[in-house]
Amino acid sequence: MKSVRNHLSLVIALVSILFSLQLYFVVERSIDAYKKNLSNNYSVIAVSKESLATEDIKAMNKLIANVAELSPDNVIKRLNSDMKNTNIELLKLSLPKFYKLSLAYYPTPKEIKELREDLLKSKSITKIEDFSHSHDTVYKLLLLFKNVVSLFALVVLVVTVLLIFKELRIWQYKHNERMTIMALFGAPLWLRSAVLFRLAIVDALIASFVTLGSFVYLSSSPWILEQFNNIGINVIVFDILNDFLMILGVSVSISILLASLIVIGHKEEV
Amino acid sequence: MDKVIVAKDLSLSYSNNEVIINKVNFSIDSGSFVFITGASGSGKSTLLKSLFGALSFKHGSLVVGGVELNNISGKKLNFLRRHLGIVFQDYKLVREWSIDKNIMLPLLINGYMKNVANAQVDKLLKHVRLNHQSGKYPYELSGGEQQRVAMARALAHNPIIILADEPTGNLDEYSSQLIWNLLEGANNQLKTTVIVVTHNIPKNLNVTYRHLHIEYGSVHEIC
């Protein structure tokens, strides 16, 4: 029971740090996936007096991934009942050219503004429709969600780090006695610290597996999957192998850092 | 006879620069039994601490077991301590370790194989009459029993010097007698140098001993 208690204080602190960190990454990936979905459905319409080459339009701004010329046929179809074919051809020639620009990714409002300015630099382009109002609303909502989650993760991280520093004093006291006794019998530093580092690594492993287990459970939960499907995200937001390696790396690093702080802070008190 | 401890103009002080021991000169022969006495606060424990390098000093020279302690490196200090057996009034046992593991500590530090160390621990537990308590933790034993464990730990690796700081200070008569017998035995049979800091020298000892008394920062030879 005492041994479980010894592990529990560090394991809980580590799990809380790892959980907030992993949650941040999952949200980041979900938002990226959602942005990709949005960017696939989002495009800008440019109106030009004369015909422009696709490559010329692409060169205007790095954000432009694809350019497609919109056919005027749909508009003309509505009028063609009363018009002769020759008149229709003349009308086609006098109509401006419409281009649908697909973007490489979901842009920020600033990037949209820059894109608009770059396109309008061309003497041929007379009008841009960037649907900025609906874009801004969606973008701000995404940003708000991301910021709220980041803030939550940061608060958890700060509170946990403060708790760890408070616990550090207790651990220092607990390990100081054993390390002093070992030093009195001539144990080298590595031997004096071995118990501490072993404990730190075991705790880091336990915390990593607990976090991994929680996220594996959550990411395969039907309710969570349904929520992701509802907003059209089908990508893997939790990559078991890579995320576990990241969690393990962070967990072991924090534990080793704490153990090192205790070893450095050790004072022989006889 | 070889000198196992040699102090020359040794001055000891704490961090507030208050001088506790002032320019003392003494030497201790190998295999001798020495009592250091003095009033409370006279500096006898301070002197003992300096003998195992727990207190650094700025003035004079102190050689223990052939190792100069002035400005000693951590590595050299560890080497020296592996050849010392130290007993404290408050036992200094690792609470979360069994008494067997506590006794085994100096053996493992000195590189004994686990099976050899185990056999030595069994022998020592019998020697200090605690074989029936094997596997227990320090907090499960009485003060006298804990001090016998500390004695067994100090004897485990056949040290060249045993340094004991008021080893019977908190013990009843029976436990005190056992501790004195163990110290006598180490000195008589193993020829281990024994240095004991105490308030009272026991009357019925079977060893020839030397008595150093500390007063006003100086060391006086009593007998």
Side-chain angles (χ1 to χ4, degrees):
Chain A
M1 197 62 202
K2 200 179 169 191
S3 156
V4 172
R5 255 205 324 266
N6 280 345
H7 286 282
L8 220 55
S9 53
L10 182 57
V11 168
I12 290 173
L14 283 174
V15 166
S16 143
I17 289 177
L18 298 177
F19 214 86
S20 57
L21 194 70
Q22 187 59 42
L23 189 68
Y24 173 80
F25 283 119
V26 165
V27 168
E28 178 92 0
R29 278 180 213 147
S30 308
I31 288 175
D32 281 348
Y34 190 66
K35 272 169 134 183
K36 204 166 182 181
N37 267 358
L38 286 175
S39 80
N40 289 339
N41 300 324
Y42 179 78
S43 54
V44 170
I45 305 294
V47 185
S48 173
K49 285 188 287 190
E50 50 199 59
S51 182
L52 289 168
T54 306
E55 290 310 311
D56 291 342
I57 299 176
K58 270 187 179 180
M60 290 179 189
N61 191 293
K62 62 178 177 6
L63 198 62
I64 304 166
N66 275 311
V67 179
E69 190 179 344
L70 294 173
S71 165
D73 291 348
N74 284 340
V75 181
I76 292 167
K77 258 183 199 169
R78 291 184 202 162
L79 311 166
N80 70 356
S81 53
D82 309 325
M83 290 175 85
K84 289 178 185 170
N85 278 347
T86 47
N87 288 342
I88 288 170
E89 286 308 313
L90 279 170
L91 183 65
K92 267 186 185 178
L93 286 171
S94 61
L95 271 176
K97 307 289 173 193
F98 294 90
Y99 296 96
K100 183 183 171 187
L101 315 180
S102 305
L103 305 183
Y105 55 89
Y106 197 68
T108 63
K110 191 183 167 207
E111 284 169 324
I112 287 276
K113 200 181 162 204
E114 281 169 7
L115 173 71
R116 192 184 174 85
E117 283 166 5
D118 287 344
L119 289 169
L120 286 173
K121 276 178 196 163
S122 162
K123 284 173 186 166
S124 312
I125 295 175
T126 54
K127 193 168 168 52
I128 310 284
E129 182 50 74
D130 55 17
F131 311 101
S132 59
H133 181 70
S134 61
H135 167 271
D136 279 7
T137 311
V138 174
Y139 194 84
K140 279 172 187 166
L141 265 173
L142 278 179
L143 213 63
L144 177 75
F145 181 58
K146 193 181 163 182
N147 287 344
V148 165
V149 173
S150 304
L151 192 72
F152 168 74
L154 190 74
V155 168
V156 171
L157 195 76
V158 169
V159 170
T160 314
V161 168
L162 289 175
L163 280 175
I164 282 184
F165 274 104
K166 205 181 162 213
E167 277 286 313
L168 195 68
R169 286 176 188 275
I170 300 167
W171 296 329
Q172 223 151 16
Y173 170 75
K174 210 160 65 183
H175 295 287
N176 208 40
E177 186 192 42
R178 188 192 58 250
M179 288 170 76
T180 297
I181 294 168
M182 292 178 84
L184 289 173
F185 285 88
L189 187 66
W190 69 264
L191 191 61
R192 273 179 262 162
S193 329
V195 178
L196 192 58
F197 280 103
R198 200 166 51 219
L199 197 74
I201 289 171
V202 168
D203 287 0
L205 283 171
I206 295 171
S208 303
F209 278 110
V210 168
T211 312
L212 175 80
S214 307
F215 273 90
V216 166
Y217 172 75
L218 287 174
S219 62
S220 59
S221 142
W223 185 81
I224 299 274
L225 290 174
E226 197 191 323
Q227 301 309 308
F228 277 114
N229 270 331
N230 286 347
I231 51 172
I233 297 175
N234 298 312
V235 295
I236 301 159
V237 286
F238 183 64
D239 177 350
I240 292 180
L241 183 67
N242 288 328
D243 284 7
F244 179 65
L245 290 176
M246 188 271 293
I247 286 171
L248 190 65
V250 171
S251 182
V252 170
S253 306
I254 294 173
S255 304
I256 297 283
L257 177 75
L258 289 172
S260 306
L261 285 174
I262 294 173
V263 172
I264 292 165
H266 166 71
K267 277 182 190 157
E268 194 178 295
E269 284 161 6
V270 186
Chain B
M1 204 171 260
D2 290 341
K3 303 286 183 199
V4 76
I5 294 172
V6 181
K8 281 183 188 162
D9 293 328
L10 177 68
S11 292
L12 301 173
S13 55
Y14 283 124
S15 50
N16 59 3
N17 287 332
E18 185 197 351
V19 178
I20 308 289
I21 300 288
N22 192 18
K23 290 186 177 175
V24 296
N25 291 284
F26 67 91
S27 62
I28 292 171
D29 292 335
S30 174
S32 56
F33 198 114
V34 181
F35 281 108
I36 300 174
T37 61
S40 295
S42 60
K44 51 189 191 302
S45 292
T46 306
L47 180 63
L48 197 84
K49 276 183 195 175
S50 72
L51 297 180
F52 57 85
L55 191 74
S56 56
F57 53 93
K58 289 174 188 160
H59 304 291
S61 151
L62 179 61
V63 178
V64 178
V67 178
E68 170 60 74
L69 287 174
N70 200 352
N71 291 322
I72 192 171
S73 68
K75 210 173 171 180
K76 266 192 174 174
L77 185 62
N78 286 338
F79 172 79
L80 170 67
R81 285 175 173 180
R82 278 176 223 150
H83 296 90
L84 303 177
I86 313 169
V87 184
F88 297 91
Q89 189 177 5
D90 58 354
Y91 330 124
K92 294 226 184 294
L93 299 174
V94 182
R95 272 178 285 188
E96 64 267 28
W97 289 357
S98 69
I99 57 168
D100 307 56
K101 196 173 174 186
N102 269 287
I103 297 170
M104 204 182 281
L105 175 67
L107 298 170
L108 296 180
I109 291 170
N110 279 282
Y112 281 65
M113 300 289 286
K114 199 82 188 265
N115 54 341
V116 179
N118 276 324
Q120 178 78 341
V121 169
D122 288 343
K123 212 171 100 183
L124 283 158
L125 278 171
K126 277 183 197 147
H127 189 54
V128 298
R129 300 183 202 172
L130 284 174
N131 43 330
H132 60 290
Q133 302 281 35
S134 174
K136 286 196 174 173
Y137 287 83
Y139 53 82
E140 295 177 292
L141 306 184
S142 69
E145 287 173 325
Q146 288 189 54
Q147 192 60 301
R148 273 141 68 193
V149 174
M151 271 303 302
R153 182 181 61 183
L155 293 168
H157 52 303
N158 296 323
I160 54 165
I161 309 170
I162 292 178
L163 302 167
D165 190 4
E166 305 204 29
T168 59
N170 292 332
L171 307 185
D172 58 55
E173 209 171 314
Y174 171 76
S175 298
S176 299
Q177 192 53 53
L178 274 174
I179 299 297
W180 290 124
N181 290 347
L182 290 165
L183 289 169
E184 272 175 14
N187 184 250
N188 284 334
Q189 289 150 32
L190 305 168
K191 302 294 169 213
T192 309
T193 308
V194 178
I195 299 169
V196 183
V197 163
T198 186
H199 277 292
N200 303 304
I201 299 174
K203 291 187 173 79
N204 51 350
L205 274 183
N206 287 322
V207 285
T208 311
Y209 64 83
R210 209 175 138 198
H211 180 187
L212 300 175
H213 185 74
I214 300 180
E215 199 170 21
Y216 303 118
S218 300
V219 176
H220 305 282
E221 185 97 35
I222 305 291
C223 61

